[in-house]
Amino acid sequence: GSTVIMAGNHDGTTTGSGSNVTLTATATADQVSLNDNTKLTVNGAGNAIYGGAGDTLTLAGSSNGVNVGTGASVTVGGDSNSITAAAKAWMLISGNSNSENVGAGSNVTIAGNANNTLLGDGSTAAITGSKNSTSYNASGANENVVVSGDSNSVYVGAGAHVTVSGSSNSTTALASAWMYVSGNSNAETVGAGASVTVSGKGNQTWLGDNSAAAIGGSNNMTSYNATGSNENLNISGNSNTTTAGTGASVYIGGAGNNTSLGQSAGVQVVGNSNTTTIGDASTLLVSGSSNYTNIGASANVTISGSSDNTSIGVNSAITVNGSSNYTTAPGSGDIAWING
């Protein structure tokens, strides 16, 4: 391959395979067509680059337009560039306000700010910068995204894996997604059948139906984005607010949590000083202390803790094994066993 240096304006060149091409800082509005496995460095602005497979590009300039083939490697240190890469691309973005579009199976690192990235299916992205927007250009399926920066916006498809350790990020994932949130003050929305773990503080999470959530942090809010049915919730943190629909299965091990559930729920309260509201035809087991629970009609309740305050609806059955508990029942069809 040949070595080419371009320093002028409005020039055009086509290179052979394996060439080494440099556009200097004075090169503007040039048009370059690269063959496969070519190395290109762009220091100028406003140039148009058409690459092949396996090319290696370094963009230090600004406002360049780049289109490269399969397996390309692209490093972007400049600003306001537009880059399109085919499948299995590798890309590092340290500049700002760039636009990237990569094919399936690509690997992208976004260290700059205010970049806009579209991922192909099965791609991997690491987002360490801030105020970036990352979405998908096909179905978004099976993407793997790690967000350690702040104030980013992320949209991924079904079956995606997302880890969020930064703060104030907004993440949306479709059905069967897996998400781990250790950062604070983030907002997460997942589709049906998703699995979410929240260990940070002050996060807001909206679950799809049939999803599972483990909430180990504090002061988090968890609700649903469809009907909230058949969710599986494990609340081991403190001072969280959680809402779920019909058929929920819930374990509350923390303290000071506020939980509201629909009908046909199965609830176990092991922690202390929690407030729980439950719909009709539900089952409740309370072994912690100083909890307040309001459950609907046709419920089955067992209280084994102490100093618990429980209100049951009509046609319910309650067994009290603990001590110093207070139970309110309307009396109509209720059955009570007091063993404590």
Side-chain angles (χ1 to χ4, degrees), residues 24-311:
T24 68
T26 60
T28 59
D30 292 329
Q31 182 169 307
V32 181
S33 297
L34 307 174
N35 214 316
D36 296 343
N37 302 310
T38 296
K39 182 177 180 180
L40 172 69
T41 301
V42 181
N43 296 308
N47 299 286
I49 313 298
Y50 303 93
D55 290 339
T56 300
L57 280 69
T58 301
L59 300 180
S62 60
S63 302
N64 296 287
V66 178
N67 195 318
V68 289
T70 301
S73 296
V74 183
T75 301
V76 183
D79 301 333
S80 302
N81 296 286
S82 177
I83 306 103
T84 299
K88 298 180 180 180
W90 179 93
M91 196 174 292
L92 170 61
I93 313 296
S94 59
N96 305 319
S97 303
N98 296 286
S99 177
E100 305 84 37
N101 189 331
V102 298
S106 294
N107 190 319
V108 180
T109 298
I110 305 169
N113 304 321
N115 296 285
N116 191 328
T117 305
L118 298 177
L119 302 174
D121 294 349
S123 292
T124 298
I127 305 170
T128 63
S130 62
K131 298 182 179 179
N132 297 287
S133 176
T134 304
S135 186
Y136 49 86
N137 53 32
S139 69
N142 302 316
E143 293 172 346
N144 192 324
V145 179
V146 177
V147 186
S148 58
D150 302 329
S151 302
N152 297 286
S153 178
V154 179
Y155 297 86
V156 291
H161 279 222
V162 183
T163 301
V164 183
S165 60
S167 301
S168 302
N169 297 286
S170 175
T171 306
T172 300
L174 299 183
S176 303
W178 178 94
M179 192 177 296
Y180 178 78
V181 183
S182 60
N184 304 323
S185 302
N186 297 286
E188 305 84 37
T189 300
V190 296
S195 177
V196 181
T197 298
V198 181
S199 63
K201 301 177 181 179
N203 296 286
Q204 295 183 342
T205 306
W206 286 268
L207 302 174
D209 294 347
N210 303 299
S211 291
I215 305 168
S218 61
N219 297 304
N220 297 290
M221 189 285 294
T222 305
S223 188
Y224 50 87
N225 55 39
T227 67
S229 63
N230 302 317
E231 293 175 352
N232 191 319
L233 307 174
N234 185 322
I235 305 170
S236 59
N238 303 323
S239 302
N240 298 288
T241 300
T242 306
T243 304
T246 300
S249 177
V250 183
Y251 176 91
I252 303 174
N257 296 288
N258 192 319
T259 306
S260 299
L261 308 171
Q263 298 178 353
S264 303
V267 184
Q268 183 178 5
V269 183
V270 177
N272 305 321
S273 302
N274 297 287
T275 299
T276 309
T277 302
I278 310 170
D280 297 342
S282 296
T283 300
L284 170 67
L285 171 62
V286 181
S287 57
S289 301
S290 302
N291 295 287
Y292 177 82
T293 308
N294 189 325
I295 193 168
S298 303
N300 192 326
V301 180
T302 301
I303 309 296
S304 300
S306 61
S307 301
D308 294 302
N309 189 321
T310 307
S311 176

Side-chain angles (χ1 to χ4, degrees), residues 9-25:
N9 304 323
H10 300 283
D11 297 319
T13 188
T14 299
T15 65
S17 179
S19 295
N20 192 329
V21 181
T22 300
L23 274 65
T24 68

